[in-house]
Amino acid sequence: MELSELVREIESAHDPAAQARIERSRSTVMRGIAQPHPRRSRRRWVWGGTAAGTMVAGAIAAAVIIAGTVSPLAAPPASAAAVAVLNDAAGAAMTSPDPVLAPGQYLRMRETYDLITLWDADLDPSDPVFGFSAAALDQSEGAVFQRSIRDLYVPSDRAGDWIIDDRQVNEVRDVFGDPATLPAFEAMVAEVGDRDADPGGLVALPGGIAKEGESWEPFRDEYATMPRDPEKLLEWFRERLAAYGDDDWIIFQNIGHFLSTDLMPAELRAATLHTVALLSGVEVARTDGSVTTLRMESHLDEGSEFGDLLVSEIDINTESGHIVGGREVYPHRPTDLLPAELPWVSWTVDFEIVDEAPQP
């Protein structure tokens, strides 16, 4: 069973047995993660906001726990400031010219992820993977903050081969806690090489379609029929994402990643930005030049190892209408292992027209 399918099985309803079910589901996912992976030939988003194709165990664990413990509390509508930002971005999406590629050129989309991997020193020391794959935040003695980069090359003729290059070695940016954490992490990478650089990570997808029939670009086959009216489009997204829950934060996170690919038609990108303005609890966090960060808070149920709050953010370039990054932060984590302001996972997307792509 796919990891994403396991995540879907986690229930969102709040009842006394929920936490036990979540922990059982989490353990099942962790056991799956601990197994060597086949070639990563497709992208699967496991929400909240982690990419199963590139995320390591700790980040996926967070997604699993969030999926079952976010409280469906009523939130106020999006703020007037957030609505204004989204209106500006939608207008820019309609007027900013799409990249023009000459025959043979590619649009390279570079996804850069910063993420946390936890380590529990008390788990089976004879298995270098298990201390990372089964670690929980409130039980961990160490954590590794690392960066992962993956490139997607979209050809000028989209019917041609799209190229995924997922071979880059993850960069360790910082280590927290027990000094033994880094040697343990290096032993884990040596044991399961595709946790770090995937030697088989250079893959061609004819027409952007993986062998399993999935498009790299979510909902690509439905772009022509997706509603352009924001309210109808919001309902469309709710129906398609119902397996992950019905809270607005799920829509917020998913739209952030769907739009970051920047491959939707302009009028659909604009309508999708207007859809975000219909979500409850969206606020302006800060502005840095042409990039404005929107945030949404999600309250976690009592007993979550991540505290009582998840803050999700997306970064929007209001001059181009592009979503260029985002992050997830747990500011009330019940541990001093990690700085409170350090995102659990963050990502940026950069685009560049290039004359060639690496070939498998």
Side-chain angles (χ1 to χ4, degrees):
M1 182 181 292
E2 292 286 350
L3 294 180
S4 58
E5 293 171 356
L6 290 171
V7 172
R8 290 192 187 102
E9 292 184 351
I10 299 172
E11 298 179 39
S12 297
H14 179 65
D15 65 69
Q19 192 63 31
R21 285 197 304 275
I22 293 161
E23 290 304 320
R24 288 197 299 271
S25 298
R26 179 180 186 277
S27 297
T28 303
V29 173
M30 289 303 114
R31 287 195 298 272
I33 294 169
Q35 301 303 316
H37 296 297
R39 175 182 293 187
R40 292 172 289 180
S41 60
R42 58 178 170 170
R43 178 174 68 174
R44 281 189 178 272
W45 296 109
V46 182
W47 302 107
T50 55
T54 55
M55 296 292 110
V56 289
I60 297 179
V64 173
I65 292 172
I66 295 167
T69 60
V70 171
S71 299
L73 300 179
S79 70
V83 171
V85 167
L86 289 160
N87 287 342
D88 289 345
M94 289 294 294
T95 58
S96 298
D98 289 330
V100 178
L101 278 65
Q105 289 187 319
Y106 293 83
L107 181 65
R108 187 189 70 185
M109 183 179 76
R110 171 159 291 179
E111 299 174 310
T112 301
Y113 294 93
D114 289 339
L115 52 106
I116 301 293
T117 304
L118 299 172
W119 179 58
D120 187 339
D122 299 323
L123 296 177
D124 186 0
S126 66
D127 183 346
V129 175
F130 194 58
F132 291 92
S133 66
L137 182 61
D138 54 357
Q139 302 287 328
S140 294
E141 285 78 28
V144 178
F145 181 46
Q146 58 179 320
R147 172 165 290 177
S148 174
I149 296 176
R150 177 175 55 188
D151 290 331
L152 169 66
Y153 293 84
V154 181
S156 55
D157 177 4
R158 292 193 183 176
D161 285 349
W162 298 32
I163 306 296
I164 303 172
D165 189 354
D166 198 13
R167 298 173 298 171
Q168 296 200 46
V169 176
N170 289 359
E171 172 193 356
V172 174
R173 306 195 67 201
D174 210 341
V175 180
F176 303 94
D178 193 318
T181 301
L182 183 57
F185 181 78
E186 291 171 341
M188 183 271 287
V189 170
E191 179 73 14
V192 186
D194 64 2
R195 291 297 181 85
D196 197 18
D198 182 357
L202 185 61
V203 181
L205 305 182
I209 305 297
K211 291 181 180 179
E212 297 82 357
E214 291 186 352
S215 172
W216 176 276
E217 192 178 352
F219 306 130
R220 176 181 169 197
D221 293 339
E222 301 182 74
Y223 283 169
T225 58
M226 287 171 66
R228 268 50 175 178
D229 176 83
E231 292 187 358
K232 293 179 180 178
L233 184 57
L234 177 57
E235 291 307 309
W236 189 95
F237 276 118
R238 290 196 193 283
E239 291 176 4
R240 297 308 190 278
L241 301 172
Y244 299 100
D246 58 3
D247 297 327
D248 279 359
W249 69 276
I250 295 173
I251 308 294
F252 182 78
Q253 291 180 340
N254 274 274
I255 284 178
H257 283 278
F258 294 159
L259 281 179
S260 70
T261 64
D262 195 35
L263 299 176
M264 281 183 175
E267 77 280 0
L268 184 55
R269 291 203 305 270
T272 305
L273 288 165
H274 285 306
T275 296
V276 177
L278 300 176
L279 300 176
S280 58
V282 181
E283 299 179 347
V284 173
R286 57 192 170 274
T287 297
D288 183 6
S290 62
V291 176
T292 295
T293 298
L294 301 181
R295 60 176 272 151
M296 176 183 283
E297 294 186 354
S298 302
H299 296 276
L300 307 180
D301 280 351
E302 183 178 354
S304 166
E305 66 182 89
F306 293 90
D308 61 1
L309 185 65
L310 162 67
V311 177
S312 301
E313 296 182 340
I314 56 176
D315 302 327
I316 302 178
N317 187 321
T318 54
E319 292 183 355
S320 66
H322 296 162
I323 291 181
V324 295
R327 66 206 52 80
E328 294 166 11
V329 183
Y330 301 92
H332 302 159
R333 289 183 290 231
T335 175
D336 58 2
L337 177 63
L338 300 163
E341 70 280 1
L342 183 69
W344 187 255
V345 60
S346 62
W347 52 273
T348 60
V349 179
D350 298 298
F351 293 89
E352 182 181 0
I353 295 175
V354 296
D355 293 330
E356 58 183 6
Q359 299 298 316

